[in-house]
Amino acid sequence: MIRTRFAPSPTGYLHIGGARTALFCWAYAKRHGGEFILRIEDTDVERHTEAAVEAIYESMRWLGLGWDRKFDPPPRQMQRLPRYGEVAEQLIVAGHAYRCYATKEELDAMREAQRARGEKPRYDGRWRPENAAGRAPPADVPPVVRFRTPATGEVGWRDLVKGDIVFSNSELDDLVILRADGVPTYNFGVVVDDLDMGITHVIRGDDHVNNTPRQIHIFRALGTALPAFAHVPMILGPDGQKLSKRHGAVSVMQYHDDGYLPEALLNALARLGWSHGDDELFSMEQFVQWFGLDHISGSPAQFDPEKLAWLNHEYIKRAAPARLAAEVAPRLAAIGGIVDGGPPLADVVLLLRDRARTLNELAEAAMLFYRPGKPDAAVVAANLKPEILPALADLRGALEALPAWTAADIGVATKGVLERHKLKMPQIAMPVRAAVFGQTQTPSLDQVLAIAGRARVLQRLGAALG
């Protein structure tokens, strides 16, 4: 069975790059009827926070990227320290690792001397068993455990995105796999985790390519089969530069706060470095059916906030009014709108959704119907000139006499007033909008009056005329 994993470090919130990696891992597992695992790499104890852990969970749930409950709650590395110590001891016994007693001062001096000779700074193997023979370990230095990297030959793999990749072992030194406090380093911890959790496919950003040869050596030293590796290209901003906050590289939940639907963000993320012909707009069900690592580009992808806004607009137009109403209600309340006593919010969003690129824009537009208090007196006065008052009074009377309060009937009544007073639509529409809503720009007059309701429209027109 195929099993993928997403393993973020909780040193910050989940951002666009991590969310895309999670999406690709999730989709690949779903495509093949496999399992998708979430785990937390929390060994950076100085920087990780529980708030960041909860934010990762919240972001994954909002995106709908559910993880397999076989490993739930998601495993955390700091809860597995005994296991890393056990595997490190196994490698020492087998001759693939050793304890190193070099102090920080010694290592700094070693690297400084190497730089002075024009050499690449790297660990010189001074505590390898053959180099430390006969030397007694210092009693006051807690040792780290280093992996014994082969000194000659090459290490390589066929990457499922980038093709064949090869490194010379001479470029790799003996990395620390277990710190003196028993906490694993990244390259060791992920190998043990991937091995214990039966991960078959490691899909991650191509910033990890240089880590992979080290991990392959550890897998082989443990006598286990390698997972398949797929390194996806990095994400750039629309200007071709590294993605940053100015490009929109903010927390995933910031997109929620800014009024984006999760399916729009997922659709945008799916198109970052992956494509299916010319398809731009597709459901996650379609994406899972189409997704394959062979369609991932080897070149960096560009994140375009404008494309995301376009996608969000398309998804808003297609969303069920009841769902949009549920999303918009708290946003309305946050900007001072009062929904209780107003028209049904589902009717309002159905009228307004075609113009909104975000849920926040939709909430702002809906304030037309839910703004507390009376219309602004200055706006009303500025638009109710004396010469329009007879027509306005005629319209109020015609509306009051309507047997049914529908947009079609309101339109007929309004047209009759225009003909009787020889006016054009803007001449009556702007004063009516000002009197009823306190603003002069709205969607079609008959539609907004129909939704506002007979009682409110007649009362406010009467107040303006009075």
Side-chain angles (χ1 to χ4, degrees):
M1 175 185 287
I2 285 177
R3 185 179 288 166
T4 63
R5 49 78 165 175
F6 176 55
S9 175
T11 54
Y13 300 108
L14 183 60
H15 297 287
I16 287 294
R20 184 196 60 170
T21 299
L23 173 61
F24 284 5
C25 293
W26 174 85
Y28 192 76
K30 296 297 179 185
R31 173 72 177 81
H32 296 280
E35 296 174 342
F36 169 64
I37 306 302
L38 175 66
R39 70 173 186 245
I40 303 298
E41 296 184 348
D42 59 350
T43 55
D44 190 345
V45 293
E46 292 184 357
R47 295 175 58 216
H48 105 258
T49 67
E50 287 305 307
V53 174
E54 290 303 317
I56 290 169
Y57 295 161
E58 182 183 26
S59 298
M60 295 288 284
R61 293 188 187 105
W62 179 65
L63 290 171
L65 301 180
W67 54 91
D68 194 275
R69 300 300 169 177
K70 182 174 294 185
F71 296 97
D72 199 47
R76 298 172 66 157
Q77 289 184 322
M78 290 303 289
Q79 297 170 349
R80 288 171 42 81
L81 297 187
R83 174 60 177 156
Y84 305 124
E86 174 188 317
V87 178
E89 191 62 35
Q90 177 184 337
L91 289 171
I92 292 172
V93 171
H96 294 299
Y98 57 92
R99 291 181 173 84
C100 171
Y101 296 86
T103 64
K104 180 181 182 301
E105 292 72 23
E106 286 180 70
L107 294 174
D108 288 344
M110 174 196 73
R111 295 186 186 102
E112 191 59 39
Q114 289 169 336
R115 291 190 189 95
R117 296 193 297 268
E119 300 172 0
K120 176 182 176 181
R122 51 184 288 138
Y123 178 68
D124 59 7
R126 62 183 60 191
W127 280 98
R128 276 193 170 205
E130 65 270 26
N131 298 332
R135 192 189 329 164
D140 58 343
V141 178
V144 300
V145 177
R146 288 185 180 271
F147 182 80
R148 185 180 183 125
T149 302
T152 59
E154 295 178 331
V155 56
W157 72 98
R158 174 160 293 241
D159 196 275
L160 297 181
V161 172
K162 295 181 172 294
D164 292 331
I165 300 178
V166 177
F167 283 78
S168 171
N169 287 329
S170 62
E171 294 295 313
L172 309 173
D173 59 2
D174 291 356
L175 77 154
V176 174
I177 59 173
L178 200 68
R179 300 183 180 94
D181 59 3
V183 176
T185 58
Y186 169 76
N187 283 307
F188 182 54
V190 297
V191 168
V192 177
D193 292 345
D194 287 345
L195 177 61
D196 287 354
M197 296 172 194
I199 302 302
T200 63
H201 290 71
V202 174
I203 304 169
R204 57 190 177 190
D206 62 7
D207 53 330
H208 285 289
V209 165
N210 289 338
N211 290 321
T212 304
R214 296 184 177 280
Q215 293 171 19
I216 288 175
H217 278 313
I218 298 173
F219 274 114
R220 288 176 173 162
L222 292 170
T224 64
L226 297 177
F229 292 97
H231 292 87
V232 300
M234 68 185 299
I235 302 174
L236 304 177
D239 57 0
Q241 300 300 308
K242 183 178 179 182
L243 196 64
S244 64
K245 288 185 178 180
R246 65 189 173 90
H247 298 120
V250 295
S251 162
V252 163
M253 293 310 294
Q254 184 64 51
Y255 288 98
H256 165 275
D257 295 345
D258 289 345
Y260 289 87
L261 292 171
E263 56 266 41
L265 183 57
L266 286 170
N267 197 149
L269 293 176
R271 292 287 283 112
L272 290 177
W274 173 89
S275 63
H276 184 270
D278 295 326
D279 294 283
E280 293 282 358
L281 193 71
F282 43 80
S283 68
M284 282 301 99
E285 291 76 16
Q286 289 173 317
F287 175 57
V288 168
Q289 292 174 9
W290 294 339
F291 185 70
L293 299 174
D294 53 336
H295 287 170
I296 295 178
S297 169
S299 304
Q302 287 190 313
F303 176 65
D304 184 355
E306 285 301 312
K307 175 62 72 66
L308 172 59
W310 174 80
L311 285 168
N312 201 52
H313 177 55
E314 294 300 315
Y315 278 102
I316 285 175
K317 289 193 296 184
R318 291 164 171 76
R323 181 200 173 186
L324 289 179
E327 294 278 3
V328 167
R331 299 170 195 274
L332 261 174
I335 57 176
I338 300 176
V339 176
D340 290 346
L345 187 50
D347 293 345
V348 171
V349 297
L350 182 60
L351 172 66
L352 301 174
R353 66 181 181 179
D354 284 359
R355 301 185 180 197
R357 300 206 309 171
T358 68
L359 297 171
N360 290 356
E361 288 183 7
L362 189 53
E364 290 166 3
M367 282 292 284
L368 173 73
F369 298 97
Y370 303 108
R371 189 175 288 111
K374 299 177 181 179
D376 187 286
V379 174
V380 176
N383 286 277
L384 266 68
K385 304 300 183 185
E387 60 270 20
I388 201 65
L389 295 181
L392 202 60
D394 189 5
L395 177 62
R396 187 187 183 283
L399 294 177
E400 188 173 23
L402 286 177
W405 190 259
T406 68
D409 290 333
I410 292 170
V412 170
T414 304
K415 184 177 180 181
V417 171
L418 294 176
E419 291 173 351
R420 288 193 293 275
H421 294 268
K422 295 181 172 48
L423 298 173
K424 295 186 181 300
M425 178 60 81
Q427 292 175 284
I428 195 75
M430 291 183 67
V432 171
R433 288 174 172 134
V436 177
F437 302 107
Q439 61 189 66
T440 57
Q441 298 295 321
T442 73
S444 174
L445 183 65
D446 52 0
Q447 291 181 314
V448 294
L449 293 182
I451 289 178
R454 186 194 299 263
R456 175 173 295 195
V457 171
L458 296 180
Q459 186 274 324
R460 288 191 171 179
L461 284 177
L465 287 165

